[in-house]
């Protein structure tokens, strides 16, 4: 049975942290888009989205 070296443990921790950070950032972006879309009148969601991109 192979033992897990410290290098593999560090790689696993860094990959897990990267995935967790990506998920949190994505959730925040989606929440912000939904919030901004909710502030706009009906039918102008794309305008809000393009304004946010610029």
């Amino acid at each position: 049975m192979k033992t897990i070296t410290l290098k593999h443990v560090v790689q696993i921790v860094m990959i897990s942290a990267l995935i967790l950070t990506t998920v949190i950032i994505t959730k925040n972006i989606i929440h912000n888009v939904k919030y901004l879309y909710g502030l706009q009148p009906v039918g102008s969601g794309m305008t809000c989205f393009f304004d946010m991109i610029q």
Side-chain angles (χ1 to χ4, degrees):
M1 184 171 91
K2 291 185 177 181
T3 58
I4 298 177
T5 61
L6 182 61
K7 183 178 178 181
H8 288 110
V9 171
V10 170
Q11 286 176 346
I12 291 171
V13 168
M14 289 185 68
I15 290 171
S16 299
L18 179 67
I19 291 171
L20 182 66
T21 304
T22 304
V23 167
I24 291 172
I25 291 172
T26 305
K27 282 180 68 175
N28 285 336
I29 290 172
I30 291 171
H31 178 265
N32 290 342
V33 168
K34 285 183 178 179
Y35 176 73
L36 291 173
Y37 179 76
L39 293 178
Q40 297 294 323
V42 176
S44 64
M46 290 306 289
T47 304
C48 173
F49 183 73
F50 288 126
D51 288 344
M52 197 177 93
I53 290 175
Q54 295 173 355

